[in-house]
Amino acid sequence: LFLPTGAMAAATTSYRRVALGGLAVGAAARWRRRLLPDGCVLRLAPARGAAAAAEPGPCRTVTVEVGGRKMELSSGKLARFADGSAVVQLGDTAVMVTAVSKTKPSASQFVPLVVDYRQKAAAAGRIPTNYLRRELGSTDKEILTSRVIDRSIRPLFPVGYFYDTQILCNLLAVDGVNDPDVLAINGASAALALSDIPWNGPIGAVRVGLVDGETIINPTRKQMSSSALNLVIAGASQNQVVMLEASAENVLQQDFCHAIKVGVKHTQQIIQGIQQLVKEQGVVKRTVQKLFVAPEEIVECVKKLAFNKIYAVFTDSSHDKISRDEAINKIRLETEEQLKEKFPEAEPYEIIESFNMVSKDIFRNLVLNEYRRCDGRDLTSLRDIKCEVNMFKMLHGSALFQRGQTQVVLCTVTFDSLESSVKSDLISTAVSGIKDKNFMLHYEFPPYATNEIGKVTGMNRRELGHGALAERALKPIIPQDFPFTIRVTSEVLESNGSSSMASACGGSLALMDAGVPVSSAVAGVAIGLITKCSVEKGDIEDYRLLTDILGIEDYYGDMDFKMAGTNKGITALQADLKLPGIPVKIVMEAIQQATAAKREILQIMNQTLAKPRPNRKESGPVVETIHVPLSKRLRFVGPGAYNLKKLQAQAGVTVSQLDEETYSVFAPTPSAMHEAREFIREICKDDQEVNLEFGAVYTATITEIRDSGVMVKLYPNMTPVLLHNSQLDQRKIKHPSALGLEVGQEIQVKYFGRDPTDGRMRLSRKILQTPATTVLKTLTDKNSIVLGGTVPQSSTSSQ
């Protein structure tokens, strides 16, 4: 139908006006008609989801009791235009999660899922402190939480579902008691389950704490502050495990396994609650245009053309990562050319995926049926490990850890002042209670580590996640009272699997090389999984666990199970699955296999460096404390902190106040600390020589005449102090010249101590015009500024 330009514009404007008024969207009609001024008819289709939003259904709510506390899941009230929306509330903390998926496929060859978790300042009752006073880029906490949600829901999407899908998590309210991240996982599960998006859920998630040996489900922030365990579990129906994320204070293996079992049990209650909501709403999943899977006839053709060639490569243990990849790629190119000739109408993805499927089946069957790995190891063997410390003498600490072709070098330790600790933003502090941290690990993965090229930009989500895992692994062994902020940097120079666990091993060696008195060494290892599932039910019929997996074993496998800890217990764990869930039994076996490998790695590491060095390196930083009595604080700090600023500028040191009378001085080198000592002695030397007795009478020398009084000295190297006009004479005077006072003249003054607020001397000449007081002088070191060491005991003498 061709319309005049003016008529079309009028129709569009009219339709928008009516639609905004809520009158043009109906639940019954799919098409709406509107007569145009010239008698033409324009048919307009409402936006997808608009019909359902115009006549909203009832708001449905389900309350689930988890760990003795009530969790509320609701849907149907907020964000009704989204494919799925849910609100989860625990206590007064509430999170809204929406799910939207396109109906047209994308060009990706994987599930194009994006999860964004955003902390809203208003939810915590705060205003952002940046210059725009609004939320800007994602924080580390937001990115890490988004990754946890992604890893929990991604395995349950159908194979070949390549449709852009977005999950948005918005904090509605935060009470500062309940952490919203676990609620966001449950909200994402509910939103997907209640939508028409194909998804094989729901799942449930809980946090498990361990306080005084007792497991607590969804502990409060106060309980978490004393908890030895922070475990987040995402579970599927029938007590299946989908995702694990944990940090622990050296928790024993049996306690850790018990916490997992308890957590999985409680996830089932949340799953039942979501299933009840789905049943009440009568959800019907959409029929997608196409699931991108390899056609059976092309797969069979690939087997005939390339099976033996691929098998020969995977059974040749002389290959390393690069040569094996090159050999497989050569076979791939040859096979694809033959397939294009035989199947000219096949899409490029179908050919590529068919080859990948055959390669994957060959690789997995070697492990399942022949117990063979592509590098010749048995299922529980480690790769060759080499360790080296003290790589560069100028660094505070450094180490090299190489496991097979995974090399983490320049695992360095840097000390800095406590002022350099990471300061959390106000919103993260309000949500989690963590204000700052003085230990951090930064993980770097440059493109050359896998023989690739790419942009070397800032940190990406993967690097942040791997660094956070290695940081959690090492944090429990760091002493709480260490006087420096510690930064560990882990740069991956070669990568063939499990570089994050190599970072934990290298970081542990670097910390000991730097002389950090760690409680024990830490090692980590990755465990893989190859399964065989039944065609009918999809249950796992057979499986193999692999110790210290390669990159290709991670790619073709079903699980990446990373665990780190000491000889005593577990400090960190992370499990990522490609299956929609595995039994708890397999998780327990993986922990047992990782524990055995961890102890073997620790023995190898101990041959290089068994315990921390007794002393830090000579080139390292120095920290000393200074005792400054309140009466001397003004002299030490200076007007407007002038002395401190000058000290930091000249010597390059950092001065921070610990309490009212104690300051900490951080120097990057011993020579800088020596320079700082000399500077402090110079500015405070007159305050360290003579101590005055309250009420004693002294002879003062006038050094300057001012309108407000005279400047006097009680001893030669003293900084002049002001004797105000009001304290010069019993009579009221406006200028010292009225009394005939001159520079150089000596006068008698009485000492009344120092002002408690600014430390200034309080002197008076006026009081001596009454009967004189006995002169009593007491010298003491009690109020001296003390550099480095303890405050000296007082000693007195009389004059």
Side-chain angles (χ1 to χ4, degrees):
L1 177 62
F2 294 94
L3 302 176
T5 305
M8 176 61 78
T12 305
T13 305
S14 176
Y15 177 74
R16 287 177 178 171
R17 188 183 304 115
V18 175
L20 289 174
L23 300 177
V25 181
R30 181 171 180 82
W31 297 89
R32 287 300 188 193
R33 297 189 177 193
R34 181 167 180 82
L35 292 176
L36 298 175
D38 55 2
C40 299
V41 177
L42 175 66
R43 292 179 177 180
L44 298 172
R48 180 168 54 92
E55 296 181 5
C59 177
R60 296 178 176 85
T61 302
V62 171
T63 302
V64 181
E65 187 169 337
V66 183
R69 304 170 64 202
K70 293 183 178 180
M71 178 185 294
E72 186 179 280
L73 300 98
S74 61
S75 179
K77 184 178 180 179
L78 304 177
R80 296 192 300 269
F81 276 16
D83 289 331
S85 173
V87 176
V88 183
Q89 183 166 347
L90 180 64
D92 289 326
T93 296
V95 182
M96 182 188 73
V97 184
T98 58
V100 176
S101 184
K102 289 185 176 181
T103 56
K104 293 184 179 180
S106 69
S108 303
Q109 296 183 8
F110 56 88
V111 179
L113 172 66
V114 176
V115 179
D116 280 316
Y117 171 90
R118 298 304 303 269
Q119 295 179 155
K120 297 300 179 68
R126 304 302 298 265
I127 296 176
T129 55
N130 57 67
Y131 67 98
L132 289 178
R133 297 297 187 268
R134 63 185 303 166
E135 291 83 1
L136 299 178
S138 299
T139 64
D140 289 359
K141 170 67 176 175
E142 291 171 329
I143 293 174
L144 293 174
T145 304
S146 299
R147 283 174 56 87
V148 170
I149 300 170
D150 185 299
R151 289 161 39 211
S152 300
I153 63 177
R154 183 180 290 271
L156 286 90
F157 280 92
V159 176
Y161 185 78
F162 297 164
Y163 296 80
D164 288 313
T165 305
Q166 185 177 42
I167 308 295
L168 290 181
C169 309
N170 288 330
L171 269 63
L172 302 180
V174 177
D175 58 7
V177 176
N178 302 286
D179 202 325
D181 56 355
V182 172
L183 304 185
I185 301 175
N186 291 312
S189 172
L192 285 168
L194 292 167
S195 71
D196 64 344
I197 302 171
W199 190 66
N200 301 319
I203 63 169
V206 296
R207 171 175 272 108
V208 183
L210 186 64
V211 180
D212 298 330
E214 180 183 356
T215 55
I216 300 176
I217 301 299
N218 289 339
T220 63
R221 193 176 77 178
K222 183 177 181 181
Q223 290 172 327
M224 280 304 301
S225 64
S226 58
S227 175
L229 175 66
N230 183 4
L231 170 65
V232 177
I233 303 176
S237 57
Q238 300 179 351
N239 293 319
Q240 302 273 305
V241 176
V242 179
M243 192 279 305
L244 293 172
E245 180 92 2
S247 59
E249 298 287 340
N250 234 348
V251 173
L252 298 177
Q253 179 182 338
Q254 57 266 30
D255 294 336
F256 200 98
C257 293
H258 175 70
I260 293 176
K261 294 175 182 177
V262 173
V264 171
K265 179 181 177 181
H266 282 84
T267 61
Q268 303 306 300
Q269 302 169 5
I270 300 173
I271 293 172
Q272 292 171 7
I274 298 175
Q275 288 173 340
Q276 181 180 340
L277 274 177
V278 172
K279 185 177 180 181
E280 292 178 0
Q281 186 168 315
V283 175
V284 178
K285 296 297 183 180
R286 73 177 67 156
T287 301
V288 297
Q289 293 181 9
K290 180 181 179 181
L291 288 177
F292 291 79
V293 294
E296 188 64 30
E297 61 273 16
I298 301 182
V299 172
E300 291 300 323
C301 186
V302 173
K303 289 181 180 179
K304 294 178 182 179
L305 295 174
F307 183 93
N308 293 331
K309 297 178 183 178
I310 298 173
Y311 183 89
V313 173
F314 285 154
T315 53
D316 185 357
S317 59
S318 64
H319 280 299
D320 60 11
K321 173 183 170 62
I322 302 299
S323 64
R324 185 183 300 111
D325 289 347
E326 289 177 348
I328 292 294
N329 285 331
K330 182 179 179 181
I331 300 172
R332 179 194 301 275
L333 293 175
E334 294 174 355
T335 306
E336 287 178 356
E337 288 298 324
Q338 295 174 343
L339 291 174
K340 289 177 183 178
E341 295 177 1
K342 192 169 185 179
F343 301 96
E345 297 181 358
E347 296 181 8
Y349 171 79
E350 294 176 338
I351 294 176
I352 295 172
E353 183 60 22
S354 297
F355 185 89
N356 289 341
M357 181 174 290
V358 173
S359 300
K360 182 177 181 180
D361 287 343
I362 296 172
F363 188 91
R364 292 165 66 90
N365 287 329
L366 278 172
V367 176
L368 283 168
N369 302 329
E370 303 181 28
Y371 293 82
R372 298 176 65 180
R373 301 172 71 172
C374 61
D375 60 353
R377 288 180 293 152
D378 59 43
L379 302 187
T380 59
S381 293
L382 295 168
R383 289 173 284 176
D384 293 335
I385 295 176
K386 297 179 182 179
C387 306
E388 189 177 344
V389 295
N390 197 22
M391 301 287 294
F392 302 97
K393 293 184 179 180
M394 284 305 298
L395 300 177
H396 300 162
S398 58
L400 161 69
F401 182 87
Q402 180 151 1
R403 178 161 47 198
Q405 285 187 300
T406 295
Q407 182 185 75
V408 179
V409 76
L410 286 181
C411 205
T412 62
V413 173
T414 306
F415 299 134
D416 211 322
S417 66
L418 294 176
E419 294 295 315
S420 300
S421 61
V422 177
K423 306 296 189 297
S424 297
D425 58 281
L426 288 175
I427 313 307
S428 297
T429 302
V431 172
S432 62
I434 301 175
K435 295 182 178 179
D436 52 25
K437 61 177 184 179
N438 62 348
F439 171 71
M440 66 202 83
L441 187 146
H442 294 158
Y443 170 96
E444 300 174 8
F445 194 96
Y448 60 76
T450 52
N451 192 30
E452 296 174 354
I453 60 173
K455 291 183 179 180
V456 182
T457 57
M459 165 191 62
N460 58 41
R461 288 193 171 198
R462 180 186 176 276
E463 290 180 345
L464 180 62
H466 281 56
L469 175 61
E471 180 181 303
R472 291 198 305 271
L474 295 175
K475 185 178 180 181
I477 66 173
I478 304 296
Q480 296 291 333
D481 57 348
F482 196 67
F484 301 107
T485 293
I486 305 174
R487 180 184 184 235
V488 178
T489 58
S490 173
E491 185 172 356
V492 180
L493 300 188
E494 299 173 5
S495 178
N496 190 14
S498 189
S499 57
S500 60
M501 291 295 92
S503 298
C505 299
S508 175
L509 288 170
L511 287 169
M512 292 193 291
D513 179 57
V516 179
V518 297
S519 56
S520 57
V522 165
V525 68
I527 304 295
L529 175 68
I530 304 291
T531 61
K532 180 181 179 182
C533 298
S534 64
V535 180
E536 297 178 356
K537 297 182 179 179
D539 297 335
I540 297 176
E541 292 181 344
D542 197 8
Y543 63 91
R544 302 285 182 269
L545 289 170
L546 308 178
T547 297
D548 187 17
I549 57 175
L550 301 171
I552 192 172
E553 291 171 334
D554 182 14
Y555 179 73
Y556 285 137
D558 297 320
M559 179 179 73
D560 185 8
F561 186 97
K562 302 171 183 176
M563 193 184 85
T566 65
N567 264 323
K568 177 185 176 183
I570 299 171
T571 58
L573 185 145
Q574 184 182 95
D576 297 332
L577 293 174
K578 299 176 185 176
L579 300 174
I582 60 174
V584 176
K585 174 190 173 184
I586 297 180
V587 176
M588 299 298 109
E589 292 181 15
I591 292 177
Q592 180 60 41
Q593 196 161 317
T595 301
K598 175 191 66 176
R599 289 172 178 166
E600 187 176 347
I601 297 170
L602 285 171
Q603 291 177 358
I604 298 173
M605 292 169 58
N606 288 339
Q607 295 174 5
T608 302
L609 189 61
K611 59 182 181 179
R613 299 192 189 279
N615 300 310
R616 295 188 292 272
K617 293 186 178 181
E618 295 181 356
S619 60
V622 183
V623 170
E624 289 190 4
T625 57
I626 301 178
H627 179 77
V628 181
L630 291 177
S631 59
K632 308 292 174 65
R633 186 164 60 187
L634 179 65
R635 180 62 179 159
F636 174 71
V637 175
Y642 173 78
N643 289 341
L644 291 186
K645 293 176 182 177
K646 186 176 180 181
L647 171 62
Q648 295 181 103
Q650 288 186 358
V653 301
T654 302
V655 182
S656 55
Q657 187 171 1
L658 304 180
D659 55 40
E660 285 189 344
E661 296 187 348
T662 308
Y663 288 80
S664 173
V665 179
F666 169 86
T669 60
S671 60
M673 179 58 75
H674 176 74
E675 185 178 350
R677 288 197 199 100
E678 295 298 323
F679 183 91
I680 294 172
R681 288 194 182 99
E682 182 65 26
I683 64 173
C684 300
K685 61 182 181 181
D686 57 331
D687 283 335
Q688 296 187 33
E689 294 183 0
V690 177
N691 289 275
L692 308 177
E693 177 66 23
F694 186 91
V697 178
Y698 294 92
T699 300
T701 303
I702 300 175
T703 61
E704 183 182 353
I705 303 293
R706 295 185 177 181
D707 292 342
S708 57
V710 294
M711 303 296 293
V712 297
K713 281 186 176 183
L714 301 185
Y715 44 89
N717 60 350
M718 170 183 166
T719 302
V721 297
L722 177 67
L723 181 58
H724 196 266
N725 288 336
S726 62
Q727 298 297 326
L728 284 175
D729 197 85
Q730 293 283 358
R731 296 168 294 174
K732 184 177 180 180
I733 61 172
K734 294 184 177 181
H735 196 274
S737 59
L739 300 177
L741 298 178
E742 298 177 353
V743 174
Q745 181 179 346
E746 293 184 348
I747 57 176
Q748 300 294 315
V749 295
K750 192 170 185 178
Y751 177 69
F752 287 100
R754 293 179 179 268
D755 191 308
T757 58
D758 55 18
R760 295 179 181 178
M761 281 188 182
R762 295 187 296 188
L763 303 174
S764 177
R765 177 176 177 268
K766 175 177 68 176
I767 197 68
L768 296 179
Q769 295 178 356
T770 59
T773 306
T774 305
V775 177
L776 177 64
K777 301 179 181 178
T778 303
L779 300 179
T780 175
D781 292 332
K782 182 177 181 180
N783 291 327
S784 298
I785 296 179
V786 182
L787 298 176
T790 59
V791 181
Q793 300 294 327
S794 61
S795 59
T796 61
S797 61
S798 300
Q799 287 185 354

